[in-house]
């Protein structure tokens, strides 16, 4: 695994980040992770890391960042007791377990009782399939709102993810004119601190 060091000016920074972010991966060619250090000036560096989602989920990103911080502080990393192959074996064994089929059958019965209406935004609301649904809007909350939101959520022992998921469900409810909205959220199923 090699990390390239590239000297650039600050006005090239945005293009370098976008270009690095848009690197495609070939699943047959390791590694599925790339890193680049940009030197902006003397003692001013930026580390970019790009990984394929198949090898790095949100949980793993937190671990990676925390371990990079420890290494930057010249601290020693703790030994890993469970390898990634152990974790994947655990995950795969669950998929073929009695418990998995029990849970799957439960949810299939819940959604197959005819009380839920499935909404297809494209078909039910006449959205043209060739329209650009990948469009996104970026909005930055000011620091006062962010601080108030964090206090509000802390008082209710809730997370920012739960807040935005609830907001998303309200939006879907209004758009679909449905009182009950169910949104599936993937989880990591990690029961070990390793």
């Amino acid at each position: 695994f090699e990390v390239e060091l590239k000297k650039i000016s600050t006005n090239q920074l945005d293009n370098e980040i976008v270009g690095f972010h848009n690197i495609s991966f070939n699943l047959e060619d390791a590694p599925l992770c790339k890193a680049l250090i940009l030197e902006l000036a003397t003692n001013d560096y930026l580390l970019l890391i790009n990984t394929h989602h198949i090898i790095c989920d949100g949980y793993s990103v937190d671990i990676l960042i925390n371990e990079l911080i420890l290494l930057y502080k010249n601290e020693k990393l703790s030994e890993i007791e469970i390898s990634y192959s152990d974790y994947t074996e655990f995950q795969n064994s669950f998929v073929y377990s009695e418990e998995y089929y029990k849970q799957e059958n439960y949810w299939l019965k819940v959604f197959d009782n005819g009380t839920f209406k499935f909404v297809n935004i494209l078909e039910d609301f006449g959205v043209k399939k060739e329209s650009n649904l990948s469009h996104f809007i970026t909005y930055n909350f000011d620091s006062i709102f962010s601080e108030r939101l964090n206090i509000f959520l802390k008082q209710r022992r809730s997370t920012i993810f739960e807040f935005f998921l609830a907001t998303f469900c309200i939006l879907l409810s209004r758009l679909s004119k449905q009182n009950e909205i169910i949104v599936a959220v993937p989880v990591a199923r990690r029961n070990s601190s390793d």
Side-chain angles (χ1 to χ4, degrees):
F1 185 79
E2 293 183 7
V3 179
E4 180 186 355
L5 173 63
K6 193 172 187 180
K7 197 172 196 172
I8 65 164
S9 63
T10 52
N11 61 350
Q12 297 172 296
L13 184 58
D14 287 344
N15 287 338
E16 286 292 333
I17 292 172
V18 170
F20 187 74
H21 177 266
N22 290 331
I23 291 173
S24 60
F25 292 92
N26 180 345
L27 295 179
E28 295 178 5
D29 294 332
L32 297 178
C33 176
K34 299 182 187 318
L36 172 66
I37 298 174
L38 299 176
E39 182 179 357
L40 304 172
T42 305
N43 293 325
D44 188 8
Y45 298 91
L46 185 64
L47 171 63
L48 304 179
I49 299 174
N50 188 353
T51 65
H52 191 282
H53 67 88
I54 202 167
I55 66 160
C56 195
D57 59 7
Y59 193 88
S60 302
V61 168
D62 286 343
I63 293 170
L64 177 64
I65 290 170
N66 289 331
E67 289 190 352
L68 284 172
I69 290 169
L70 289 173
L71 291 171
Y72 185 77
K73 293 177 178 179
N74 207 22
E75 295 180 23
K76 188 175 169 111
L77 300 179
S78 59
E79 291 294 320
I80 298 172
E81 294 182 24
I82 297 176
S83 70
Y84 184 74
S85 59
D86 293 334
Y87 169 71
T88 56
E89 189 175 317
F90 163 74
Q91 285 288 85
N92 288 335
S93 66
F94 176 71
V95 170
Y96 298 106
S97 71
E98 178 85 24
E99 180 63 23
Y100 179 86
Y101 287 114
K102 183 178 164 188
Q103 290 180 22
E104 180 183 36
N105 286 329
Y106 170 81
W107 287 110
L108 288 172
K109 285 177 188 172
V110 166
F111 291 116
D112 194 31
N113 66 9
T115 60
F116 294 98
K117 177 186 175 197
F118 289 91
V119 177
N120 183 325
I121 298 293
L122 292 176
E123 294 174 8
D124 296 346
F125 295 95
V127 177
K128 294 180 182 176
K129 289 188 179 182
E130 60 272 1
S131 67
N132 183 8
L133 292 177
S134 64
H135 180 73
F136 62 90
I137 297 171
T138 301
Y139 182 82
N140 293 320
F141 295 108
D142 62 45
S143 59
I144 295 170
F145 176 83
S146 295
E147 187 177 322
R148 287 181 179 168
L149 179 60
N150 284 327
I151 291 168
F152 173 84
L153 294 173
K154 191 171 186 178
Q155 290 170 343
R156 284 150 185 83
R157 299 183 67 192
S158 189
T159 66
I160 196 80
F161 172 78
E162 292 167 329
F163 171 78
F164 282 110
L165 179 61
T167 304
F168 179 64
C169 289
I170 292 168
L171 173 66
L172 290 178
S173 176
R174 295 245 172 117
L175 289 174
S176 65
K177 297 182 173 80
Q178 300 295 311
N179 290 329
E180 290 190 37
I181 297 291
I182 297 171
V183 176
V185 179
V187 293
R189 276 199 85 247
R190 296 188 184 194
N191 303 330
S192 170
S193 62
D194 293 319

